[in-house]
Amino acid sequence: MGSKDVKVLNFWVSPFGKRVEWALKLKGVEYEYIEEDISNKSNLLLELNPVYKKVPVLVHGNKAIAESFVILEYIDETWKQYPLMPHDPYERAHARFWATSAQQKLGKEGSWTALIKSGEEKEKALNTASEVLEKLEEEIKGKKFFGGDNIGYLDIALGWISYIIPIWEEVGSIQIIDRLKFPAINEWMTNFLNHPVVKDSLPPRDKALDYYHLSVKKHTPN
């Protein structure tokens, strides 16, 4: 299927959109990339995702699919090569649980809150992040990827941890992932970042640092 049939609307630094790009690349599906300015959303984005009005959006033929986790499952069910989801129903449910839980608890309630808050709120957020990391450490221990020997659904879902959290740590001068306390996660991060599909598609680090410095300023009092 040619790139004219598959399009991805995304914003360059969005970790949610990266999930979609990684999944398509792993499956060898060609696609057309359309960059969105999230501060000045295009009519196309508003037309394709009228409910959330957010990236990413996958366009497949005349169908538009929104929300990154929904898109990942659509991709996996549409293109059968290189399966992303585990075959076992329990393992699939387990992967979905950790994908959504880590995004909420480690991402929004943990790392991001620690980045934009101070004092007691920051400490509470860092503790929340650490609790999730302890669980993920047990999940990944003894494995190269969450998917086993190959990158799978949960690796793609959690991929943001490998490059966004180190950027947030630098922006906020904080430590979210203790590399000595979480050696298995640290090793997974290295394996994930060194995968050719990931390595060749990461946002420029300096540009991302600038972006998140500005984002933090917008979310913190003067």
Side-chain angles (χ1 to χ4, degrees), residues 55-66:
V55 295
V57 176
L58 176 74
V59 181
H60 181 204
N62 61 356
K63 300 184 289 283
I65 304 97

Side-chain angles (χ1 to χ4, degrees), residues 16 19 69 97-113 125 128-129 132 157-158 160 168:
F16 311 115
R19 292 170 178 157
F69 291 146
F97 171 82
W98 277 116
T100 55
S101 296
Q103 180 167 297
Q104 182 67 24
K105 304 290 286 185
L106 177 56
K108 186 176 180 181
E109 294 178 20
S111 307
W112 179 251
T113 299
T128 297
V132 178
L158 302 182
W160 62 273
W168 287 356

Side-chain angles (χ1 to χ4, degrees), residues 15 19 27 36 48 55-56 82 98 102 108 110 116 131 134 137 141 143 157 159 161 169 176 186 188 190 210:
R19 292 170 178 157
K27 286 180 175 285
E36 274 293 327
L48 293 174
V55 295
Y82 195 102
W98 277 116
K108 186 176 180 181
I116 62 174
E131 288 173 2
E134 287 173 4
E137 177 76 6
K141 195 172 287 184
K143 295 186 286 189
I161 295 171
E169 289 178 321
I176 298 168
N186 189 49
W188 167 78
T190 300
D210 289 343

Side-chain angles (χ1 to χ4, degrees), residues 15-17 19-21 23-24 27 48-49 51-52 54-60 63-79 84-85 95-97 99-100 103 153 156-157:
F16 311 115
R19 292 170 178 157
V20 176
E21 293 188 70
L24 291 170
K27 286 180 175 285
L48 293 174
N49 189 5
V51 177
Y52 291 108
K54 293 179 179 179
V55 295
V57 176
L58 176 74
V59 181
H60 181 204
K63 300 184 289 283
I65 304 97
E67 294 298 289
S68 63
F69 291 146
V70 176
I71 296 172
L72 285 185
E73 295 208 37
Y74 177 86
I75 289 172
D76 204 30
E77 291 170 9
T78 302
W79 293 281
L84 300 174
M85 270 290 193
R96 291 186 185 106
F97 171 82
T100 55
Q103 180 167 297
Y153 171 87
I156 293 172

